[in-house]
Amino acid sequence: MGRVTVNSRLTVVSSKPVGPGVTHKLSGLDHAMGLHTIHMIFYYGNNPATSFDLDPFRVSLSEVLSMYPAVTGRLIRGEDGNWVVNCNDAGVRVLRATVRTTLDEWLRSADGAEERDLTVWEDMAQDPTIWSPFRIQINEFEGGGIAIGLSCTHLHADPTCATLLLKSWSEAHRREAIAHPPFFHSSALRGRPVLNTKTKSANYYAAKSKAKPPSVKMAATTFRFSDSSIKQCLEEVHESCPDATPFDLLAALFWTSLAPMKSPAPDHKHSLSICIDFRKLMHAPLPYGYFGNALHFSLLSRDREEIDNGRLGHVTGLVHEHVSSINEEECQSVIDWLESQKGEGGKFGAPFRMYGPELTCVSMEHMVIPRGYAGMFKDAKPVHIACHVGNVEGEGLIMVLPSHEEGLARTVMVTLPEEQMAKLCKDQAILRLEPTVVACGRQ
């Protein structure tokens, strides 16, 4: 029997009813992400003497949901066969659970599979009009401590959206202005009159849509790197890559550690799929609060010998150069390619595995961490953040997130085939940075 027990379930609707007939069309990028789900967990410390009362949280959540009609709505099929959110304010499922251990002990001992118990999820029902695509779970630990879990379909939103929804809720609870209000419409995410599908990115998505990654048993481990260890390592690679970011460094570190464990492709190359948020890459930048998918996947490939034998500084430079080369046209061409895949009547093509088949590394460097809720979580940053993506297959997933520690500290969540994870946890190149390992084990 698990350590997490769900004690109650309720539905929270917005404090201001949505007007009749309001709908939200999902973009081609949204449809492409349809096989995946997002599960985010924000852990907060708490005064053990504080008595937890859900009612104030429910009131502030109801207020902020008035700004998010696409979150409280339900999926329907439009006339063209594409998914549309019927903004009928059917509400968000909110669960309350208790955890039979302390927060500190949980972070020391919980594995990836158990951590998912903090974000109970139900796959889409046969009738989606009665199914809530967003779920919030509030988990209380023994002796104080709270974990807020948010699960949603990747069809609706990306991790940035999920984080900002929690951030807006905390701001509403503290009676502050919403710093990044949601923005639901953008012409930039539609195909152009003249489609450009002749780019590296468009070709990569075309290949990805046909790939059939093997399904293997996966394991998950979280590494937390301190500010001092990242600074030291950046100094070591400075001569090779003076402008390296923590993401460049960590992507290179894990890629070079994992590459020797993987069989090279028939062309004798090692490949890394790099995922970034493109909100600020557009000529007319998307607002940070844009609600929908704004992720771009691109492929970095090099000869096997270059990666297997390359120094960390050299590979860091390769990652940095690749990320710096991603521009608006590459991102827009993917939107054009998705548009070109529409069938008769304008229906988008079937979704496919976006996180894979190659080893995929996701940058969340831009992520704003929501502070605690006034009077309940000491108005502080979370003590830990976790982000899981559902239905990951292929060579694995690396997510680089900000840490609760100030400065350059980073949290790296890794999902790999089990046998490779066992080797990675003993890798000396990673261990020399003395990371703290959190919530490790099976997925």
Side-chain angles (χ1 to χ4, degrees), residues 99-213:
V99 187
R100 289 185 295 280
T101 189
T102 65
L103 175 57
D104 289 342
E105 174 59 28
W106 175 270
L107 291 177
R108 283 194 298 267
S109 61
D111 60 27
E114 193 173 29
E115 190 169 52
R116 291 283 286 271
D117 289 342
L118 301 179
T119 59
V120 171
W121 178 250
E122 295 176 7
D123 289 330
M124 186 185 296
Q126 188 171 3
D127 180 4
T129 62
I130 61 172
W131 172 76
S132 175
F134 284 79
R135 293 168 187 270
I136 295 172
Q137 184 169 321
I138 301 175
N139 307 274
E140 301 175 62
F141 292 90
E142 292 180 353
I146 299 288
I148 297 182
L150 171 64
S151 292
C152 64
T153 65
H154 221 316
L155 181 72
H156 280 72
D158 60 18
T160 298
C161 304
T163 302
L164 291 182
L165 174 59
L166 266 294
K167 183 175 183 291
S168 296
W169 182 17
S170 69
E171 289 165 343
H173 195 79
R174 296 196 304 270
R175 299 301 174 189
E176 296 178 358
I178 305 301
H180 304 287
F183 176 78
F184 290 100
H185 304 286
S186 175
S187 58
L189 298 188
R190 301 172 188 164
R192 295 172 291 189
V194 179
L195 304 179
N196 176 19
T197 60
K198 304 298 183 182
T199 65
K200 291 180 179 178
S201 295
N203 291 335
Y204 179 45
Y205 276 65
K208 187 189 289 286
S209 69
K210 298 180 177 67
K212 303 294 182 183

Side-chain angles (χ1 to χ4, degrees), residues 8-270:
S8 64
R9 294 175 173 83
L10 56 90
T11 300
V12 176
V13 299
S14 60
S15 59
K16 298 179 182 178
V18 182
V22 176
T23 59
H24 171 60
K25 290 186 177 181
L26 300 181
S27 71
L29 287 173
D30 295 333
H31 280 80
M33 304 298 296
L35 296 182
H36 299 290
T37 53
I38 299 172
H39 310 269
M40 303 199 70
I41 306 165
F42 296 84
Y43 294 90
Y44 295 89
N46 191 23
N47 185 339
T50 302
S51 176
F52 183 81
D53 182 3
L54 181 59
D55 286 342
F57 282 79
R58 184 167 52 185
V59 171
S60 56
L61 176 60
S62 181
E63 291 173 355
V64 82
L65 287 177
S66 297
M67 304 172 61
Y68 287 86
V71 171
T72 59
R74 296 294 183 263
L75 285 170
I76 58 174
R77 289 287 188 181
E79 293 182 0
D80 55 7
N82 293 321
W83 286 116
V84 176
V85 181
N86 178 21
C87 301
N88 58 358
D89 198 21
V92 171
R93 299 282 189 266
V94 177
L95 300 86
R96 184 171 179 176
T98 52
V99 187
R100 289 185 295 280
T101 189
T102 65
L103 175 57
D104 289 342
E105 174 59 28
W106 175 270
L107 291 177
R108 283 194 298 267
S109 61
D111 60 27
E114 193 173 29
E115 190 169 52
R116 291 283 286 271
D117 289 342
L118 301 179
T119 59
V120 171
W121 178 250
E122 295 176 7
D123 289 330
M124 186 185 296
Q126 188 171 3
D127 180 4
T129 62
I130 61 172
W131 172 76
S132 175
F134 284 79
R135 293 168 187 270
I136 295 172
Q137 184 169 321
I138 301 175
N139 307 274
E140 301 175 62
F141 292 90
E142 292 180 353
I146 299 288
I148 297 182
L150 171 64
S151 292
C152 64
T153 65
H154 221 316
L155 181 72
H156 280 72
D158 60 18
T160 298
C161 304
T163 302
L164 291 182
L165 174 59
L166 266 294
K167 183 175 183 291
S168 296
W169 182 17
S170 69
E171 289 165 343
H173 195 79
R174 296 196 304 270
R175 299 301 174 189
E176 296 178 358
I178 305 301
H180 304 287
F183 176 78
F184 290 100
H185 304 286
S186 175
S187 58
L189 298 188
R190 301 172 188 164
R192 295 172 291 189
V194 179
L195 304 179
N196 176 19
T197 60
K198 304 298 183 182
T199 65
K200 291 180 179 178
S201 295
N203 291 335
Y204 179 45
Y205 276 65
K208 187 189 289 286
S209 69
K210 298 180 177 67
K212 303 294 182 183
S215 180
V216 298
K217 194 171 184 180
M218 308 292 271
T221 299
T222 299
F223 300 85
R224 290 204 309 217
F225 296 89
S226 67
D227 172 70
S228 59
S229 66
I230 296 296
K231 281 182 178 177
Q232 177 185 342
C233 208
L234 285 173
E235 290 176 1
E236 293 173 2
V237 303
H238 182 268
E239 184 176 347
S240 300
C241 187
D243 298 322
T245 66
F247 173 77
D248 299 332
L249 172 68
L250 291 166
L253 175 65
F254 281 87
W255 190 20
T256 53
S257 295
L258 288 168
M261 305 180 201
K262 302 179 181 298
S263 300
D267 58 3
H268 300 287
K269 292 182 180 293
H270 282 310

Side-chain angles (χ1 to χ4, degrees), residues 201 247 274-278 281 296-299 319-331:
S201 295
F247 173 77
I274 294 179
C275 174
I276 65 168
D277 185 289
F278 66 75
L281 281 181
H296 179 78
F297 293 81
S298 58
L299 190 65
V319 174
H320 180 78
E321 181 182 7
H322 178 85
V323 173
S324 301
S325 71
I326 300 171
N327 56 34
E328 180 182 20
E329 186 59 32
E330 289 291 325
C331 299

